[in-house]
Amino acid sequence: MSEGPDQIRTIAVDMVARVEGEGALRVTVKDGTVRDVELKIFEPPRFFEAFLQGRHYEEVPDIVARICGICPIAYQMSAVHALEQIFGLRVEGALRDLRRLIYCGEWIESHALHVYLLQAPDFLGYDSAIAMAKDHAAVVTRGLRLKKAGNAIMTLLGGRSVHPVSVKVGGFSRVPLRRELAALKDELLWARDAAVETVRWVASFEVPNLDMDYNCVALRHPDEYPLNEGQIAAAAGLQVSAHEFEHHFTEHQVPYSNALHCTLQGSPYVVGPLARLNWNHEHLTPLAKQALADNNIALPLRNPFYGIVARSIEILYALEESLRLVERYEPPPLSAAPITVRSGIGMACTEAPRGILYHRYEVDGDGVIREAKIVPPTSQNQSSIEQDLRRFMPRLLHLPDKEAALACERVIRCYDPCISCATHFLNLEIRREGRA
């Protein structure tokens, strides 16, 4: 902390763990009022959209899987759906089920990682999951085994859990035998019971009061909880297809961050588990609905700290859905549908663990990518994170610098921001001008 004769005070905290990426936070306070909040993301340029230009469409699933080590399936699914749209192909039957199953695996592993290892220590007063494990070894073990159950699905269907290699346009390079999927069943049944316990556990956490008037944005499907398909739904009756995404959602650069901010008609909005649950709770499985009722979880959820509850409900849903898909599986005659290459432009949105993920591709007649655009969930949530911090900061200004910084980090972690696959730093700077 420093305070000079000009009455500007700076607080800097060097590091925060449990955030996937690198960032900083600058807060300006004047006369005791929060005037500005800037979440800076030092996400280094990764050039994936440029890398895709000039590559054959068959290479796209493997390239985009490298964007994220936590949610590679989401990138693969948005890509293959957009490309299949160009080629006039719709994947149905067992292949569609397998795509839904591998996406469930990703939700399970990603959500379990966040709930148990990244966010739960905040609620229980620990610096890390390792510190938490000293007092709650059984709980941490349960979280790791849940994550492993999700990884097992991804490994079987994708060839490996990190940067899977089996997903392709039209289906998979290999589909599992019925007995291979059946071998997952016992562990998924254990995981389903563990997920029920997870909901009960996180619902008991003491949650800070932070009621926000969110514009929740999520996919909506007429018959199922959305993973790969659906219309994009938002407040004021907005319901549009992925084709219309760029008519309503706009990315713009802010001077203090390397990452683009995406807004809906110029305003912040929220994507992710909390938004999905608010929009799609009627499509939850009976056990997931019962977990909501048993733990007195009333919808809609408008407090970002309830994101951990929404993720836990989605773990339970994904496990029940996985069991349903495993039990009805009959291997398809072909591992992938035939492709007829043609030129065109295709767009798709799927539901990554952190929220909707938009892809657009332009392909020429030889199947070569001419242009690619990718809008990840974290860029869509950045403005809302700043909005939450503006609302939350006034109650922190009396705290010592370190405590204020840690409290801000808790708000940021509610969104599980996947800033990059780099290091884990947050520098918090509070500028106090005028009367403190």
Side-chain angles (χ1 to χ4, degrees):
M1 178 182 72
S2 64
E3 187 170 9
D6 56 355
Q7 295 184 304
I8 297 176
R9 192 169 73 169
T10 301
I11 302 172
V13 177
D14 291 334
M15 185 176 77
V16 60
R18 296 178 277 132
V19 173
E20 295 155 11
E22 184 176 1
L25 179 64
R26 175 173 175 169
V27 179
T28 301
V29 181
K30 187 172 184 179
D31 296 329
T33 301
V34 177
R35 294 300 177 94
D36 203 9
V37 174
E38 296 177 346
L39 177 62
K40 305 176 183 179
I41 289 181
F42 301 143
E43 184 179 352
R46 301 177 73 198
F47 304 117
F48 271 96
E49 290 160 322
F51 289 156
L52 289 164
Q53 293 179 22
R55 308 306 291 258
H56 196 261
Y57 80 88
E58 291 178 329
E59 299 177 90
V60 172
D62 287 341
I63 293 173
V64 298
R66 269 67 177 178
I67 293 176
C68 182
I70 304 298
C71 54
I73 298 300
Y75 285 93
Q76 292 182 318
M77 289 296 123
S78 286
V80 297
H81 275 267
L83 292 167
E84 287 162 4
Q85 191 182 95
I86 297 171
F87 302 147
L89 175 64
R90 183 171 176 81
V91 172
E92 300 282 7
L95 290 175
R96 181 182 187 273
D97 282 358
L98 288 175
R99 285 183 169 179
R100 193 166 174 81
L101 179 58
I102 195 172
Y103 221 142
C104 284
E106 179 163 280
W107 275 21
I108 295 164
E109 66 87 15
S110 178
H111 284 353
L113 169 69
H114 182 76
V115 168
Y116 281 88
L117 303 184
L118 303 184
Q119 198 173 16
D122 282 339
F123 291 95
L124 299 179
Y126 295 95
D127 292 335
S128 68
I130 295 174
M132 191 174 83
K134 293 178 181 176
D135 298 326
H136 302 279
V139 168
V140 174
T141 300
R142 182 174 70 196
L144 291 171
R145 188 171 168 185
L146 265 174
K147 185 181 185 305
K148 188 177 178 181
N151 284 346
I153 296 173
M154 295 172 66
T155 300
L156 178 58
L157 300 184
R160 59 195 191 195
S161 61
V162 178
H163 309 319
V165 293
S166 293
V167 172
K168 61 185 291 187
V169 178
F172 293 82
S173 58
R174 176 192 180 274
V175 294
L177 301 172
R178 198 169 194 285
R179 60 178 169 77
E180 290 178 306
L181 276 191
L184 297 174
K185 189 174 176 181
D186 286 348
E187 190 63 12
L188 294 178
L189 285 169
W190 171 88
R192 184 184 62 184
D193 293 341
V196 173
E197 288 302 312
T198 302
V199 176
R200 184 178 299 124
W201 178 56
V202 301
S204 70
F205 290 168
E206 185 176 347
V207 174
N209 180 26
L210 183 60
D211 188 47
M212 301 297 295
D213 185 20
Y214 289 133
N215 186 357
C216 291
V217 176
L219 294 186
R220 291 267 290 164
H221 188 280
D223 304 317
E224 58 193 21
Y225 205 83
L227 288 166
N228 274 307
E229 299 150 1
Q231 295 261 306
I232 303 166
L238 180 69
Q239 189 153 321
V240 299
S241 70
H243 275 261
E244 301 168 275
F245 181 90
E246 292 180 56
H247 296 304
H248 299 275
F249 298 84
T250 307
E251 284 185 301
H252 63 277
Q253 188 75 60
V254 294
Y256 52 84
S257 179
N258 288 347
L260 297 174
H261 281 207
C262 191
T263 56
L264 169 55
Q265 297 167 350
S267 298
Y269 63 99
V270 167
V271 299
L274 192 142
R276 275 196 300 264
L277 187 61
N278 285 342
W279 271 114
N280 297 287
H281 55 87
E282 76 272 21
H283 292 311
L284 289 172
T285 53
L287 193 56
K289 289 180 179 176
Q290 190 61 47
L292 283 173
D294 288 348
N295 294 285
N296 298 315
I297 302 167
L299 301 177
L301 298 176
R302 298 188 181 280
N303 183 329
F305 290 99
Y306 277 107
I308 194 169
V309 174
R311 281 185 177 82
S312 300
I313 289 290
E314 286 194 338
I315 293 173
L316 177 55
Y317 171 82
L319 283 160
E320 286 193 274
E321 180 68 352
S322 297
L323 283 163
R324 184 184 74 84
L325 294 169
V326 166
E327 288 171 356
R328 79 176 197 177
Y329 177 65
E330 293 293 339
L334 296 174
S335 63
I339 303 293
T340 300
V341 175
R342 64 188 189 193
S343 63
I345 299 174
M347 305 87 157
C349 264
T350 70
E351 282 285 359
R354 293 160 186 79
I356 61 172
L357 170 60
Y358 172 76
H359 283 221
R360 170 169 56 79
Y361 297 95
E362 181 177 353
V363 177
D364 68 16
D366 295 322
V368 174
I369 305 298
R370 292 304 173 197
E371 186 177 1
K373 181 180 180 66
I374 298 172
V375 182
T378 295
S379 77
Q380 299 178 68
N381 277 334
Q382 281 182 85
S383 295
S384 285
I385 295 173
E386 291 180 342
Q387 198 173 51
D388 287 358
L389 288 166
R390 284 191 190 92
R391 182 77 174 271
F392 198 62
M393 277 300 299
R395 71 184 74 176
L396 308 178
L397 295 179
H398 69 286
L399 295 175
D401 301 347
K402 183 177 180 180
E403 290 183 30
L406 291 174
C408 290
E409 292 163 13
R410 289 189 64 186
V411 175
I412 296 169
R413 268 195 291 274
C414 289
Y415 287 82
D416 192 15
C418 188
I419 296 171
S420 71
C421 300
T423 51
H424 312 284
F425 285 86
L426 174 69
N427 294 314
L428 171 63
E429 178 181 324
I430 301 180
R431 293 177 59 85
R432 300 176 191 270
E433 301 176 353
R435 179 172 53 84

